[in-house]
Amino acid sequence: MYNKVEICGVNTSKLKLLSNEEKRELLIRAKNGDDKAREKLINGNLKLVLSVIQSFGGRGENPDDLFQVGCIGLIKAVDNFDISLDVKFSTYAVPMILGEIRRYLRDNNSIRVSRSLRDLAYKALQARERLSAKLSREPTNAEIAKELGRAESEVVNALDSIADPISLYEPIYTDNGDSVYVLDQIKDEKNTDDQWLDEIAISQAIGKLSERERRILSLRFYNGRTQTEVSDEIGISQAQVSRLEKSALEKIKHEL
């Protein structure tokens, strides 16, 4: 359904795209009260809404509903965008559209959250907005808890209860069709580039060993066999196993 041409009676294949110059001109006119410019600006950015709702595929949500909700976010972005800032409109609009859709999904979530927990979460969100305006920065959970006179753990649990899970492939920034996804912002502390390179180097070094040497190392270090058990399986003395094992390890060390 997300690939269908018509959404909410809008033929998406015929949606127009505005240039950056056209957007800026329309934004200035809209800020000066030109309703026609405002309407043209909204219609010229409907593809932005369409691109955002693509990331919510597979949730079973009606794309028409998501499109309408996304349009509300777009309208809010048009009405609240500060043209004096050196920021592209799409950079500002995408988070607004995403936020509106997430609020819709959160309020219509099939997972039941207790009324008291939901009320605390909404109070925490309101406190966050007040503190953000007061401090000129994002407040910490501890500061929000202090503002509400509640324990920090209660505030964290309440906010988590209304948070909507997001896909790793959800775009967090879109500009001219190029998107940055959540996955791109996640750092893997365990599987680092150095680790992968080490594993490749070790594999290449092992590949240069003889078949008997590779088998001995496999039995010893992957299967956990003793040298005596290896000697019995291969049919050579324990002393030979020890010598071949040491030789193989030295070869790997030399290659590395």
Side-chain angles (χ1 to χ4, degrees):
M1 292 181 69
Y2 283 81
N3 295 319
K4 69 179 186 178
V5 174
E6 189 171 296
I7 294 182
C8 296
V10 177
N11 189 333
T12 59
S13 66
K14 295 183 179 180
L15 290 177
K16 296 181 180 180
L17 286 175
L18 299 173
S19 66
N20 290 329
E21 292 75 16
E22 288 176 317
K23 288 179 185 178
R24 182 161 187 81
E25 180 186 348
L26 290 171
L27 280 166
I28 293 173
R29 287 168 52 190
K31 289 296 180 182
N32 291 328
D34 189 333
D35 290 336
K36 289 186 177 180
R38 178 175 177 268
E39 182 178 353
K40 187 175 181 180
L41 185 62
I42 293 170
N43 291 331
N45 282 279
L46 290 179
K47 273 200 171 182
L48 200 60
V49 178
L50 189 64
S51 67
V52 171
I53 69 171
Q54 298 293 325
S55 62
F56 293 90
R59 296 189 179 208
E61 298 291 337
N62 189 315
D64 287 10
D65 293 342
L66 295 184
F67 187 76
Q68 291 183 61
V69 174
C71 287
I72 295 174
L74 174 62
I75 292 171
K76 289 182 178 180
V78 169
D79 292 341
N80 294 286
F81 183 69
D82 188 347
I83 57 177
S84 66
L85 298 177
D86 187 22
V87 177
K88 288 185 177 181
F89 175 72
S90 59
T91 304
Y92 176 79
V94 168
M96 293 285 284
I97 297 169
L98 279 170
E100 201 66 34
I101 293 175
R102 285 174 183 164
R103 275 190 290 274
Y104 166 79
L105 293 175
R106 181 187 66 208
D107 292 341
N108 292 275
N109 199 330
S110 58
I111 300 175
R112 303 302 300 172
V113 178
S114 69
R115 180 62 181 271
S116 60
L117 198 60
R118 184 181 291 271
D119 288 345
L120 177 57
Y122 289 142
K123 289 179 181 178
L125 292 176
Q126 293 171 352
R128 177 186 289 171
E129 291 184 6
R130 291 197 303 270
L131 289 171
S132 294
K134 180 180 178 181
L135 302 173
S136 298
R137 61 172 173 81
E138 187 76 10
T140 64
N141 288 329
E143 290 171 331
I144 295 174
K146 184 178 179 181
E147 175 79 5
L148 297 175
R150 305 292 290 266
E152 183 179 353
S153 59
E154 290 182 303
V155 171
V156 171
N157 289 335
L159 291 173
D160 285 345
S161 72
I162 63 171
D164 185 56
I166 62 174
S167 168
L168 290 175
Y169 295 95
E170 179 168 328
I172 57 176
Y173 172 82
T174 302
D175 186 23
N176 295 328
D178 296 324
S179 299
V180 175
Y181 299 95
V182 172
L183 182 65
D184 300 324
Q185 303 300 301
I186 297 176
K187 182 178 180 180
D188 189 345
E189 299 286 355
K190 183 177 180 181
N191 298 309
T192 62
D193 289 342
D194 288 341
Q195 181 184 352
W196 287 114
L197 291 174
D198 288 345
E199 290 179 359
I200 292 172
I202 291 173
S203 295
Q204 290 176 340
I206 292 176
K208 294 182 179 181
L209 300 177
S210 68
E211 184 178 348
R212 174 176 282 185
E213 288 171 329
R214 289 199 299 270
R215 188 179 180 193
I216 289 173
L217 292 184
S218 177
L219 291 171
R220 287 279 290 127
F221 300 107
Y222 287 92
N223 296 336
R225 306 283 183 83
T226 65
Q227 288 184 350
T228 302
E229 290 172 332
V230 173
S231 68
D232 291 339
E233 183 164 336
I234 295 180
I236 60 176
S237 68
Q238 187 267 332
Q240 286 178 297
V241 171
S242 178
R243 185 169 62 253
L244 287 169
E245 179 185 315
K246 289 180 181 178
S247 174
L249 292 175
E250 283 298 325
K251 289 179 182 178
I252 292 175
K253 182 178 179 182
H254 176 73
E255 287 294 331
L256 294 178

